[in-house]
Amino acid sequence: MSEQNNKGGTPEGGRRGGLFARLRRPSARWSLGTLLVAGFVVGVAFWGGFNTAMEATNTEAFCIGCHEMYDNVYQEYKQTIHYSNRTGVRAVCADCHVPKDWTHKMIRKVQASRELYGKLTGSIDTAEKFEAKRLQLARREWARMKAADSRECRNCHSLESMNSEKQQQRARKQHEMAREDNMTCIDCHKGIAHHKPSGMTEEDEE
């Protein structure tokens, strides 16, 4: 009786032995343990490759790889304080146009598929076509930024961290009003990195 108990072991021991036995036991050509390790390695490699590709699409070089961007808004951006300033801190395209957190970043990447369609169809492949659609494109981006409470702007700027004593009187007053009225950055800073499109209405300026 005791010999049978020793052979069979306790139910807990049996379960433990059964699990490790299954991990070691060959199944067709591979053991379950080998498959788990291989799956983990493949998963890490896939995830690493996916994130590497995502980050590559966030670089300035990638963004200006299309002449539509390089010849138009990039040239404007190069004349702004976001490109060159006394501190040497540069905000590249993705800093303003791509969220940093993973969930919102993936949503933005899906939305960017519309831009790929525009590239393939050549909807803005000349300076004339670009200017004709510029206000429409700007309004879409302003609406996105406003809906997110200027999330990308706030990665570097926040009303709470501003030292109003070092600001000019006009800027100090505007920021105080913005705080009181729960305004967001893009409400006032639509021309901060690119020229304002022609044809803007009073509503666009508000």
Side-chain angles (χ1 to χ4, degrees):
M1 186 78 172
S2 60
E3 185 177 339
Q4 291 177 347
N5 288 339
N6 289 336
K7 287 182 179 180
T10 62
E12 182 180 353
R15 286 194 300 270
R16 197 162 49 234
L19 173 63
F20 288 113
R22 283 196 298 273
L23 291 174
R24 292 192 301 268
R25 185 187 308 134
S27 174
R29 294 178 58 187
W30 306 98
S31 70
L32 180 58
T34 301
L35 292 175
L36 288 174
V37 171
F40 176 78
V41 171
V42 170
V44 169
F46 172 80
W47 188 250
F50 177 78
N51 276 288
T52 299
M54 286 296 99
E55 289 307 311
T57 64
N58 284 343
T59 63
E60 185 177 285
F62 179 87
C63 294
I64 64 175
C66 300
H67 80 87
E68 291 90 338
M69 297 298 103
Y70 184 84
D71 294 340
N72 298 295
V73 291
Y74 179 65
Q75 301 304 323
E76 299 170 1
Y77 152 73
K78 287 173 64 176
Q79 305 303 315
T80 70
I81 196 170
H82 281 105
Y83 182 84
S84 179
N85 53 70
R86 67 182 183 279
T87 63
V89 178
R90 177 176 296 175
V92 299
C93 308
D95 290 325
C96 298
H97 296 286
V98 180
K100 292 189 179 299
D101 64 285
W102 193 86
T103 301
H104 291 104
K105 180 190 294 184
M106 291 302 103
I107 293 173
R108 181 70 187 97
K109 292 298 182 182
V110 172
Q111 293 171 341
S113 60
R114 183 187 305 177
E115 297 164 18
L116 292 176
Y117 177 78
K119 173 66 175 176
L120 293 174
T121 58
S123 64
I124 57 172
D125 59 357
T126 67
E128 292 75 20
K129 289 181 182 179
F130 181 83
E131 287 301 324
K133 292 194 69 173
R134 184 171 183 139
L135 182 58
Q136 175 188 342
L137 297 171
R139 282 172 173 167
R140 186 183 301 158
E141 186 63 2
W142 293 337
R144 184 193 70 80
M145 297 179 79
K146 186 175 178 66
D149 193 20
S150 302
R151 177 181 48 234
E152 284 67 68
C153 301
R154 296 178 190 276
N155 286 332
C156 297
H157 310 280
S158 70
L159 290 172
E160 292 73 20
S161 61
M162 290 180 182
N163 186 341
S164 59
E165 294 181 358
K166 293 185 178 181
Q167 296 178 344
Q168 295 182 359
Q169 183 177 357
R170 182 174 180 274
R172 181 167 59 248
K173 183 177 180 180
Q174 291 290 339
H175 287 139
E176 289 173 354
M177 291 172 58
R179 184 183 290 107
E180 293 171 0
D181 296 339
N182 293 319
M183 296 174 69
T184 190
C185 310
I186 198 61
D187 289 328
C188 299
H189 296 288
K190 288 175 180 169
I192 195 68
H194 306 296
H195 296 169
K196 289 183 178 180
S198 59
M200 289 178 62
T201 63
E202 290 185 6
E203 185 178 354
D204 292 325
E205 294 283 5
E206 291 178 353

